[in-house]
Amino acid sequence: MTLYRCYYRRIHIKINYFLRAMTKTATKKPRAGRPTAAQAKQRHLELLDISVKLFLENGFDATTLDDIAAAVHMTKRTIYGHYENKEALFRASLQKAFHDHATPIEETLGAVVDDDLETTLVAIALQRANHFLTPRGLALQRIVNTESHRFPELLGLLYQESTAPTANFVQQVLQQHAERGEIFLERPETTASLFLSMAVGAPARGMLTGIKVEGFKNLEDHIHFCVKLFLNGLRVSD
């Protein structure tokens, strides 16, 4: 009888051990597999967005790859798989930020076009200024100004991603009115760039350096003055 009980007890212990092992196996979380292409792309975009946020807040020198890796919950090894160094990540993150902050052409500028050229140019300049002269826009311009000696290509990237689309749109508007015989347009590309520089660039440079636009009550007053001055140089004489 005693041997039977001992044998039964040993069987009982083995069954309980087997049941506990089966329970652990059933409740164990499956290992995460490799991310899909869409997930990998999303993580890369997050890396760029968080990187530029830290660069804008702390500056290039004070931001380390350790800071970025911790903020994005990514290993430095993974970051190095995308970019060979902090400089390359800095360029890529800023280029994406320039593109993301560009003025939407069709939805924004296309909606303000009017038959009257003066009305259209005022609306375009106001849209551009209100979009560009935001805390985000000014922060991007400041870091370009600060780091352009070390990364001279940033000026070109900012122009191509942010300014050029608006300048091209202004050029198209001017050409349409020139074809109607309303204005004389000798150098369309240069003329459009000069208009944006005068109407938006001047107050932007003033805000970056803390200098107010003297002689004007507000930004809109400045833009109206610049548009009138600009058109007086383009109007066809009678």
Side-chain angles (χ1 to χ4, degrees), residues 6-200:
C6 290
Y7 178 76
Y8 176 80
R9 180 177 177 79
R10 289 176 63 187
I11 294 297
H12 183 70
I13 291 173
K14 288 183 178 180
I15 291 174
N16 285 339
Y17 177 81
F18 176 75
L19 290 175
R20 286 196 298 270
M22 289 294 292
T23 302
K24 288 182 179 180
T25 302
T27 58
K28 187 177 181 180
K29 294 182 179 180
R31 291 185 179 181
R34 292 179 61 85
T36 65
Q39 291 171 332
K41 181 180 179 180
Q42 183 59 37
R43 287 290 287 156
H44 184 209
L45 294 177
E46 290 174 5
L47 168 62
L48 295 177
D49 289 339
I50 292 177
S51 295
V52 80
K53 179 177 181 294
L54 293 178
F55 284 131
L56 292 179
E57 290 176 352
N58 307 320
F60 176 78
D61 288 325
T63 302
T64 67
L65 286 180
D66 287 321
D67 297 331
I68 294 171
V72 79
H73 304 296
M74 185 180 290
T75 65
K76 285 172 63 176
R77 181 178 180 180
T78 302
I79 295 176
Y80 281 124
H82 291 287
Y83 302 99
E84 60 180 351
N85 50 39
K86 185 173 77 168
E87 288 78 5
L89 176 58
F90 179 70
R91 294 187 189 94
S93 63
L94 277 180
Q95 183 170 10
K96 181 180 183 298
F98 296 155
H99 178 79
D100 291 346
H101 194 70
T103 305
I105 301 300
E106 294 300 327
E107 311 94 295
T108 304
L109 297 185
V112 302
V113 174
D114 188 271
D115 287 337
D116 180 66
L117 180 56
E118 181 174 345
T119 301
T120 299
L121 291 178
V122 167
I124 290 174
L126 282 172
Q127 287 280 7
R128 171 69 178 168
N130 289 330
H131 187 76
F132 181 76
L133 302 179
T134 58
R136 174 74 168 186
L138 291 172
L140 289 172
Q141 185 64 62
R142 285 193 186 98
I143 201 166
V144 169
N145 293 346
T146 302
E147 299 297 338
S148 59
H149 70 287
R150 184 162 28 189
F151 302 93
E153 68 275 17
L154 291 181
L155 292 169
L157 284 176
L158 178 60
Y159 181 83
Q160 290 300 323
E161 296 289 349
S162 180
T163 306
T166 303
N168 291 337
F169 184 80
V170 172
Q171 180 181 333
Q172 293 172 16
V173 170
L174 293 176
Q175 286 175 321
Q176 290 172 1
H177 286 268
E179 290 170 2
R180 299 176 192 172
E182 299 174 7
I183 59 174
F184 173 72
L185 192 62
E186 185 176 4
R187 299 179 183 178
E189 184 176 350
T190 301
T191 303
S193 295
L194 287 174
F195 168 71
L196 289 177
S197 179
M198 178 172 60
V200 183

